[in-house]
Amino acid sequence: MAKAILLVLKILMILIFTGWISIWLLKPTDLWTRKWKGAEERARPTLFGYYGLNFAVYTFPVIALAIIGLVYLDLKAREPTSRQAARSSPAAFSNPLVVNTFIGVLSGVEILAVLLFILVLAWTFYARISNDFKKLMPVKSLKLQLWQLKYLRVATRFGLLTEACLALLLLPILRGLAIFRLVGIQFEASVRYHTWVGTAMLVFATLHGASTLFIWGVSHHVQDEIWRWQKTGRIYLAGEIALVTGIVIWITSLPQIRRKKFELFYYTHHLYIVFLVFFLFHAGDRHFYMIFPGIFLFGIDKILRIIQSRPETCILSARIFPSRAIELILPKDPSLKYNPTSVIFMKIQSISTTQWHPFSITSSSSIDNDSMSVMVKCEGSWTSSLYDLIQAELHSHADKTKCIPVAVEGPYGPASVDFLRYDSLLLIAGGIGITPFLSILQEIASAQNSSRYGLPTRMQLIFVVKKSQDIYLLNSISSLLQNHSSEGLHLKLKIFVTQEGQSNPTVREFLSDSSQIQTVHFSTKCSNHAIYGLESFLRIAALAGFCCIMFLVSLICLNHIFAPNQKKTSKASKEKTPSWVVDLLLLSSFLIALTCSSLFAIILRMRRLKNENIPQVSQKPGKAMDTETGSFLEEHEIHFVGRPDFHDIFAKFPNETGGSDVGVLVCGPGSMKESVASVCQQKSVGFQTGAKKKKPRFSFHSLSFSL
């Protein structure tokens, strides 16, 4: 029954997505324009008005897709997936087709999505421009030559491309309401799409604004047009403010500024509110409904994040590794479960009141019921401040340690763990990129006796580090490495130390030496709260649906109170209400809906905390090093002065099952991911062309690199 429901929901989501794309393709055509104007006129005297029609057709499909997607993810999480189902998934979802230093690694699905987006942009621009050139009408306020008039129309249509980019801009950075999770793309990986779309949007917006100013300049009407705030139609001044704001946001988002001046990046990025408000005033409510889905979902997502990060918790203890890495132990509620490779966002107010940083969870909720751990490599300014804070506490001679409050968002993780259902796993980590693999290996070890998953029985971990001190990061899985040849599980470790010469210590000696790891415990008096995680998918879906209903009700009521003439159909009556008033009503309705949804979310949160009896946080000792050693450790390899040859590793990877599926998981620097992706790409082609030979099929997965 559950599988049938999942199939129905999947088909429904495909239909909704197809319909939404079809609207974008039909919108620039004359046919759609004529039909839509007639539909708006017929809807105007009804209870919902033209604004209700615009919301239902342009905005609601994406919101419905998000709501149905949350229900789908909730049901899918409860439904065990067989290994055969994981094998049958298309390789294009994971295997790389393009590997490039500039754009990174792209799969077939990602390339298809990019091409579809470019197609929509090209079709929108072509359809509008071709119609404009057929029906050129002189601008009464401007005396323009023919070429100037055509160029003005081109400049105007660049604004439509800006609108299309803005419609997608906020979708990749959703966390709790992440639509990208439906296709297996997590927040950390989808941020690059936000960057690409944002850059394209600013390019089109700049061409739109600069070209328009150029035409005004050559016609000597700059002063007349630039300050116009007309009663109806386009408000040019608002567009100019939005453009300048967008450029400021883009400049301060450049890596050179973001990494060195994070506070500047953080605060200027909040100018997106100014940008969106003035875009609304410039484009009008009808154009705004096309971009409203992303804004609507982002608003709800932001509310959930703010509420979920309150109240604060605290750090129980920390383990300091010799490589300037720190493992933080945080309290969690026993009911909180998460999948391996999940990520949390942390903010420590004693370091910064604004900075949130993502960290991969290194523990498994199947093993640790009352705590979770994250690993931090202290290299940047924020992480170095954290290192200094913990070091100061370690060497403090005070009788009691201080309490360090921490605000936590998440955990955000994959909806499924299909990559654990391969016959074999090849895990490749670079430096601190080992963190997600620590949780994966612990999860596999704890689930060996579980019948729910068809887990891999053979694994190889490739760990590339600069210094041998980084080997101590494997401490949490030392017992697993010692017993790697236990029944039903085989794990082999290969370590490559790239910046040190040949050394005498073996893997066994590194993992057995606990003297290099220091532990400090912290006071917990500042908080008695544990991490409870996000609301369930069903509750988030209910919250999104409630917000949608409240918005529509508020919009109808405010329009009938403050813009009653909108119900009339005569042209004269439509001009009585200024366009900026209608825009304000839309904005006010959205704020009312968000306020009501916030109260709803707070009530749900309070009831959850009350019903689950918040446990008192107690100090938990750091994980002790397992000093037992065995002959198993002698099988692991350590290589000095040299990088791994991935061609050789893939060629020698054992294939005891004969033509088995191999999951290749990579987490590390971009150059490493590109190297592995290139080899995996070649192996995939070899698998397809050499179908008669039983060769292993390699499926590539890139994991988020969270520091």
Side-chain angles (χ1 to χ4, degrees), residues 613-624:
N613 297 321
I614 301 175
Q616 291 291 324
V617 174
S618 59
Q619 288 186 347
K620 182 176 180 178
K623 298 177 181 178

Side-chain angles (χ1 to χ4, degrees), residues 447-570:
Q448 280 300 304
N449 297 324
S450 173
S451 59
R452 182 179 181 184
Y453 300 120
L455 295 169
T457 57
R458 300 184 61 261
M459 295 176 291
Q460 187 173 114
L461 175 60
I462 309 297
F463 189 25
V464 185
V465 296
K466 294 180 179 179
K467 304 291 184 180
S468 58
Q469 291 180 332
D470 289 325
I471 300 176
Y472 291 106
L473 298 179
L474 299 173
N475 173 250
S476 61
I477 59 169
S478 59
S479 60
L480 178 61
L481 291 170
Q482 292 178 36
N483 301 288
H484 69 286
S485 293
S486 60
E487 184 178 354
L489 176 65
H490 185 277
L491 170 63
K492 185 171 183 179
L493 171 67
K494 291 184 179 180
I495 300 175
F496 294 84
V497 183
T498 61
Q499 295 184 5
E500 284 186 4
Q502 184 67 39
S503 180
N504 293 326
T506 63
V507 174
R508 176 176 60 187
E509 292 171 329
F510 275 113
L511 296 180
S512 302
D513 184 9
S514 59
S515 62
Q516 300 294 321
I517 303 174
Q518 299 173 298
T519 302
V520 56
H521 302 281
F522 297 96
S523 171
T524 59
K525 292 184 178 180
C526 60
S527 174
N528 65 338
H529 296 283
I531 300 171
Y532 283 86
L534 298 170
E535 297 291 343
S536 66
F537 288 139
L538 292 180
R539 286 192 174 188
I540 298 176
L543 180 65
F546 175 76
C547 187
C548 187
I549 294 172
M550 290 304 302
F551 169 78
L552 196 55
V553 170
S554 302
L555 187 63
I556 292 172
C557 293
L558 292 179
N559 270 280
H560 280 258
I561 294 172
F562 295 101
N565 53 40
Q566 295 296 317
K567 295 184 292 183
K568 302 177 183 180
T569 57
S570 66

Side-chain angles (χ1 to χ4, degrees), residues 122-387:
W123 165 250
T124 299
F125 189 76
Y126 168 77
R128 289 296 189 185
I129 285 296
S130 59
N131 289 334
D132 289 344
F133 285 179
K134 292 176 183 177
K135 306 173 183 178
L136 279 177
M137 297 291 292
V139 182
K140 294 181 180 179
S141 59
L142 302 174
K143 296 180 180 179
L144 302 177
Q145 301 177 18
L146 180 60
W147 73 268
Q148 295 172 344
L149 186 58
K150 287 185 175 181
Y151 189 66
L152 181 62
R153 301 312 301 164
V154 171
T156 302
R157 296 316 177 189
F158 274 125
L160 290 179
L161 302 186
T162 303
E163 174 188 317
C165 293
L166 187 53
L168 298 178
L169 181 64
L170 298 178
L171 296 180
I173 57 174
L174 299 176
R175 297 181 189 175
L177 278 162
I179 294 180
F180 279 57
R181 198 183 320 174
L182 294 171
V183 291
I185 300 177
Q186 298 306 306
F187 170 79
E188 286 296 293
S190 64
V191 169
R192 65 172 177 174
Y193 308 126
H194 172 75
T195 304
W196 294 350
V197 173
T199 301
M201 182 193 73
L202 261 298
V203 169
F204 294 136
T206 302
L207 290 173
H208 169 67
S211 299
T212 303
L213 287 174
F214 171 74
I215 294 300
W216 289 348
V218 297
S219 61
H220 306 291
H221 286 83
V222 174
Q223 294 293 333
D224 297 334
E225 299 292 335
I226 198 171
W227 297 108
R228 288 182 63 187
W229 189 286
Q230 53 272 67
K231 185 177 180 180
T232 59
R234 298 288 180 269
I235 299 176
Y236 298 133
L237 180 58
E240 294 146 13
I241 295 174
L243 176 59
V244 173
T245 305
I247 292 175
V248 171
I249 294 174
W250 183 81
I251 291 175
T252 55
S253 299
L254 295 174
Q256 298 86 341
I257 297 177
R258 185 180 70 250
R259 293 168 183 167
K260 295 181 180 179
K261 301 288 184 180
F262 184 87
E263 306 285 348
L264 177 63
F265 157 76
Y266 180 84
Y267 285 116
T268 54
H269 228 65
H270 281 76
L271 291 174
Y272 72 85
I273 300 175
V274 176
F275 175 83
L276 293 174
V277 169
F278 281 97
F279 180 90
L280 169 61
F281 287 138
H282 174 62
D285 64 325
R286 285 176 172 81
H287 285 274
F288 198 74
Y289 283 113
M290 293 295 293
I291 69 166
F292 194 42
I295 300 171
F296 188 94
L297 295 175
F298 180 79
I300 300 175
D301 193 72
K302 188 74 172 179
I303 289 173
L304 291 173
R305 288 159 48 190
I306 293 174
I307 295 175
Q308 191 248 328
S309 62
R310 306 291 188 274
E312 292 182 335
T313 184
C314 59
I315 299 176
L316 292 178
S317 61
R319 297 203 302 160
I320 306 174
F321 294 88
S323 56
R324 283 185 63 87
I326 299 176
E327 183 182 30
L328 302 179
I329 312 299
L330 305 171
K332 83 170 185 69
D333 187 82
S335 64
L336 174 59
K337 301 297 180 182
Y338 51 84
N339 286 326
T341 74
S342 293
V343 172
I344 62 171
F345 285 77
M346 288 175 46
K347 180 181 72 173
I348 301 178
Q349 292 209 21
S350 57
I351 299 178
S352 173
T353 58
T354 60
Q355 293 192 39
W356 289 87
H357 290 265
F359 299 98
S360 299
I361 300 176
T362 58
S363 57
S364 168
S365 59
S366 301
I367 299 177
D368 300 317
N369 290 326
D370 302 316
S371 66
M372 69 168 57
S373 59
V374 295
M375 195 83 72
V376 183
K377 189 65 178 290
C378 303
E379 294 179 335
S381 59
W382 189 91
T383 53
S384 295
S385 299
L386 174 62
Y387 184 83

Side-chain angles (χ1 to χ4, degrees), residues 109-122:
V109 171
E110 291 174 309
I111 295 173
L112 182 62
V114 171
L115 292 177
L116 178 60
F117 179 59
I118 294 174
L119 174 64
V120 171
L121 293 181

